[in-house]
Amino acid sequence: MGDNHFGGHLVRGPVLGIETSCDETAVAVLAPDGQVLAEAVLSQQEHAPYGGVVPEIAARAHLAHLPRMAREVLERANVTPAELGGVAASSGPGLIGGLIVGAGFAKGMALARNLPFVAVNHLEAHALTARLPGLVPGGAPFPYLLLLVSGGHCQCVAVEEVGRYRRLGGTIDDAAGEAFDKVAKLLGLGWPGGPALEQLAGRGDGSRFAFPRPMLGRPGCDFSFSGLKTAVAQCVAAYPPGPLPAQDAADMAASFQRAVAEVVADRVGNAIGRFAHDHPPGRLLVVAGGVAANGALRAALQATAAAHMFALAAPPLRLCGDNAVMVAWAALERLRRGMHDALEHAPRPRWPLDAPDMHVA
């Protein structure tokens, strides 16, 4: 595949990225210039009977599927292990069993081939996705404002450089994706709940139920979704036992989704104000994470960004959820700065973006 001087440091070949932080097993190979050579994502179905992710089941599924997927992705990329320039794996935050599986596999490959290993912070991978070549016209230069919305995270972050992040605000209880999944379960929808709820909301009246807008209009950039989730639960409890009437369920879904979108847009508006004050040249808002795929949320954020004369960048839907393309890209961003990790690097279930070991020397 050829060498590539990437930001001053030589990246000697394609990078293999592995993602196993939750219930997606994913592998991708990126060329040194960021071109996606091959990728695969397997969404584990083993959790459906339980209505949520079971950590032990997730780890076993990663162990069962990862070796085959890595072999197949390398074959489709027409890359041999000997041609790789590095191996990367999500090493936190996430479910520790899955992280150990992915990181252990990547370390084994790195050790066998004497390749640099990059322990990727899963949140950093989401944060840097917008910088993939071709996603943002003209590129996504630093600094920019990030809204990270997923099943486990909801936060506004000033992305100042690779490894340099400043958290402006976050959720004080549930994450947005967690609230979507819990409300979907209340409405009798399948798992995962977020996409099913959005589909149901498309048939509903978002103005019918006056659900609360937690923290709307308050100063700061923090979020809260627990009270909104509780309000939906109380609304559902007022009905007789059994399935909800179809139209009522659709109206609840639409009303809940509208409330989330309005709250998030309001809090992001405050974050834009803070970010613009600290970083006057930065005029880009990036939304990433699984909930970034929600159309109503994207529309609300587009309006908020435009009102503040910011551009909005959102990854394509396939790169919103957990994937290995973002892991390989984050590794490339670090490798081009001469950064990689020791094989002794231990995966961790918690790893905030502003942790001291995130900084690039």
Side-chain angles (χ1 to χ4, degrees), residues 185-202:
K185 190 172 184 179
L186 288 168
L187 298 180
L189 303 177
W191 181 89
L197 188 146
E198 182 179 10
Q199 185 176 16
L200 179 61

Side-chain angles (χ1 to χ4, degrees), residues 1-4 6 11-15 30-35 37 329 332:
M1 293 296 157
D3 294 348
N4 192 300
F6 219 53
V11 180
R12 296 189 175 278
V15 171
L30 268 60
D33 63 359
Q35 177 191 356
L37 300 179
W329 173 251
L332 274 169

Side-chain angles (χ1 to χ4, degrees), residues 222-252:
D222 287 335
F223 302 83
S224 173
F225 299 104
S226 180
L228 173 57
K229 176 197 66 182
T230 300
V232 178
Q234 292 172 340
C235 187
V236 171
Y239 284 75
L244 292 168
Q247 191 57 52
D248 289 2
D251 292 345
M252 283 187 209

Side-chain angles (χ1 to χ4, degrees), residues 43-135:
S43 294
Q44 300 171 0
Q45 300 304 312
E46 292 91 336
H47 309 279
Y50 306 96
V53 179
V54 181
E56 178 65 22
I57 291 176
R60 289 177 182 271
H62 291 311
L63 196 59
H65 298 302
L66 180 57
R68 169 187 56 81
M69 291 178 65
R71 184 173 60 252
E72 291 175 353
V73 168
L74 282 167
E75 287 174 357
R76 284 194 282 111
N78 196 26
V79 173
T80 67
E83 294 174 308
L84 289 172
V87 186
S90 288
S91 298
L95 302 177
I96 191 61
L99 294 171
I100 289 172
V101 170
F105 185 90
K107 290 175 182 179
M109 285 195 69
L111 181 63
R113 298 289 174 177
N114 194 29
L115 298 170
F117 165 71
V118 183
V120 172
N121 183 308
H122 179 84
L123 304 183
E124 179 171 66
H126 277 301
L128 298 176
T129 298
R131 287 173 50 81
L132 272 161
L135 289 198

Side-chain angles (χ1 to χ4, degrees), residues 134-325:
L135 289 198
V136 176
F142 299 116
Y144 55 83
L145 176 64
L146 168 71
L147 169 65
L148 179 58
V149 276
S150 67
H153 303 276
C154 186
Q155 52 189 276
C156 292
V157 179
V159 180
E160 298 172 341
E161 238 296 350
V162 173
R164 199 164 76 236
Y165 306 96
R166 190 160 54 86
R167 190 174 181 271
L168 305 181
T171 182
I172 60 174
D173 40 57
D174 293 348
E178 182 182 5
F180 266 93
D181 285 341
K182 288 179 177 177
V183 168
K185 190 172 184 179
L186 288 168
L187 298 180
L189 303 177
W191 181 89
L197 188 146
E198 182 179 10
Q199 185 176 16
L200 179 61
R203 305 193 294 271
D205 176 4
S207 63
R208 179 177 170 193
F209 293 96
F211 293 137
R213 270 69 169 159
M215 306 189 80
L216 187 76
R218 292 191 189 180
C221 315
D222 287 335
F223 302 83
S224 173
F225 299 104
S226 180
L228 173 57
K229 176 197 66 182
T230 300
V232 178
Q234 292 172 340
C235 187
V236 171
Y239 284 75
L244 292 168
Q247 191 57 52
D248 289 2
D251 292 345
M252 283 187 209
S255 299
F256 165 78
Q257 182 175 260
R258 178 179 291 185
V260 171
E262 290 181 6
V263 166
V264 171
D266 174 78
R267 313 314 294 158
V268 169
N270 289 354
I272 288 176
R274 282 186 57 183
F275 177 83
H277 177 270
D278 295 338
H279 302 283
R283 310 301 295 180
L284 178 66
L285 169 64
V286 171
V287 58
V291 186
N294 182 276
L297 182 62
R298 285 194 182 212
L301 291 171
Q302 182 67 64
T304 299
H308 290 83
M309 293 183 289
F310 267 55
L312 175 69
L317 299 186
R318 70 182 178 87
L319 297 181
C320 288
D322 292 346
N323 65 88
V325 171

